[in-house]
Amino acid sequence: MRAVVMYAPGDVRVEQREDPKILAPTDAIIRLSATCVCGSDLWPYRGLDKYDGPVPMGHEYVGVVEEVGGEVTSVKPGQFVVGSFFASDNTCEICRAGYQSRCVHAVPMAAIGTQAQRARVPLADGTLVATPGMPEADLIPDLLAASDVLGTGWFAAVAAEAGPGKTVAVVGDGAVGLLGVLAAKQLGAERIVAFSRHADRQELAVEFGATDIVTERGDEGVARIKELTGGLGAHSVIEAVGTQESMMQAIRSARPGGHVGYVGVAHDVELPGRELFYSVVHLHGGPAPVRRFLPGLIELIWDRTINPGKVFDLELPLEQAAEGYRAMDERGAVKVLLRP
């Protein structure tokens, strides 16, 4: 099969790899209908995460089941499925508490690589969710978004306790931040403030439910949020970047007693203990337990209540994956969908 491999920062290739095989009776093999480039893939692409040697890429996926192991009972060949970027058994104590991304048997799909024509999905019963039928073609990008960025944005909004009567601020205007806006809107937030300096992303944020756009960032962005909220700060803040600046902007944008849901993959983030102590801000986040939300998100997509696939503003064949990485790295695209 053809698959994406990263050899070094900036060096992404599509090459021939061995077809996946069933290795455990709990595995499934899927033929991918669509995959994509994630913002987190840009960390190694830019050399900020160190990968040792050529590694397969990708952790977001939707497709059709081709084969299942002998112990798989929840999905069968021929079904269209959506899976999380972490495989999980969905039965351990941590999974039952709703944190499947930290399952005691968790397998990161990034280690397998789903920017490919086919993929092996471990723990298929706990990881894959079948759609009600074969989706219409225009729903496939929406369902693909549920595999990571929609589920991650949704978890961020839930962790930030977005809801009726709340003002929600969103730090980060990438796909996750934009879908955090969508999630906050669906959860009933009264006011949603998106930090963004890019006209196309501002437009999509408003379409997803943003009521205010703030172009300032850092301390200036915090001052603007305080100005918009009578000096108090937002009830809920979504942090969707993962840098020191974005995390501190999120914490400082929240009012005392407010909640920050952080899902940006942290890089060199250090929290000042004394400031955090006196902020009285709740912090909750980490790798999103996407599997917790998948059934509900699939239903919202299937009923056409939401259309998260609009974050894909560039679609390319798998063979042009390197061009997709460049486009996202240069901010020429919000998120790139790849067709195997």
Side-chain angles (χ1 to χ4, degrees):
M1 68 172 184
R2 303 293 287 172
V4 177
V5 176
M6 184 177 293
Y7 276 77
D11 185 2
V12 172
R13 309 177 196 177
V14 180
E15 61 185 30
Q16 203 70 18
R17 288 181 60 204
E18 186 177 352
D19 284 332
K21 297 179 175 62
I22 297 290
L23 301 180
T26 52
D27 288 348
I29 304 298
I30 64 170
R31 182 179 74 255
L32 275 82
S33 299
T35 183
C36 53
V37 181
C38 183
S40 64
D41 294 331
L42 298 181
W43 293 106
Y45 185 79
R46 293 166 174 164
L48 298 173
D49 282 349
K50 305 300 181 184
Y51 282 13
D52 187 15
V55 293
M57 296 299 295
H59 53 265
E60 298 158 279
Y61 55 101
V62 293
V64 178
V65 177
E66 287 195 329
E67 183 183 359
V68 297
E71 295 181 12
V72 176
T73 60
S74 67
V75 296
K76 59 186 179 182
Q79 286 185 309
F80 193 93
V81 293
V82 184
S84 168
F85 62 90
F86 265 102
S88 59
D89 60 29
N90 208 31
T91 59
C92 78
E93 188 172 338
I94 304 302
C95 285
R96 292 198 307 272
Y99 292 89
Q100 292 91 334
S101 58
R102 303 306 299 153
C103 172
V104 297
H105 299 119
V107 179
M109 291 301 296
I112 292 172
T114 63
Q115 291 170 8
Q117 292 176 318
R118 290 178 175 81
R120 179 180 68 89
V121 180
L123 305 170
D125 275 341
T127 304
L128 298 175
V129 179
T131 57
M134 196 60 63
E136 295 181 23
D138 67 318
L139 284 183
I140 289 177
D142 296 313
L143 293 166
L144 177 60
S147 181
D148 183 351
V149 285
L150 174 60
T152 296
W154 202 277
F155 173 58
V158 169
E161 299 208 356
K166 300 287 187 68
T167 294
V168 181
V170 181
V171 180
D173 65 354
V176 170
L178 290 168
L179 290 174
V181 169
L182 182 151
K185 175 68 173 179
Q186 290 297 310
L187 292 169
E190 181 176 303
R191 191 177 192 183
I192 303 170
V193 183
F195 287 97
S196 178
R197 293 180 170 180
H198 303 87
D200 56 339
R201 300 177 189 223
Q202 293 172 0
E203 183 178 342
L204 191 52
V206 170
E207 184 175 346
F208 282 159
T211 57
D212 300 83
I213 300 293
V214 171
T215 58
E216 295 88 349
R217 64 174 57 174
D219 291 342
E220 291 181 353
V222 172
R224 182 66 179 135
I225 286 290
K226 295 290 181 69
E227 181 183 333
L228 291 172
T229 56
L232 299 177
H235 300 90
S236 306
V237 185
I238 291 171
E239 190 285 318
V241 183
T243 64
Q244 180 73 20
E245 180 184 39
S246 64
M247 181 64 91
M248 294 313 303
Q249 181 177 329
I251 292 170
R252 291 167 180 166
S253 294
R255 65 181 56 198
H259 293 75
V260 174
Y262 61 94
V263 291
V265 180
H267 283 74
D268 299 321
V269 173
E270 295 183 359
L271 301 182
R274 192 172 184 86
E275 179 177 350
L276 190 61
F277 181 81
Y278 283 105
S279 72
V280 201
V281 167
H282 303 75
L283 296 179
H284 183 37
V290 169
R291 179 60 180 83
R292 185 207 305 182
F293 305 107
L294 270 182
L297 296 179
I298 289 172
E299 183 177 353
L300 288 170
I301 291 166
W302 203 261
D303 293 344
R304 298 183 181 272
T305 301
I306 59 174
N307 51 357
K310 287 192 173 184
V311 295
F312 296 108
D313 54 349
L314 178 61
E315 180 175 323
L316 296 170
L318 184 70
E319 293 293 332
Q320 295 179 27
E323 181 181 331
Y325 274 78
R326 281 194 298 272
M328 285 182 61
D329 179 47
E330 296 168 0
R331 298 185 74 88
V334 176
K335 193 165 178 67
V336 177
L337 184 147
L338 300 174
R339 295 280 186 179

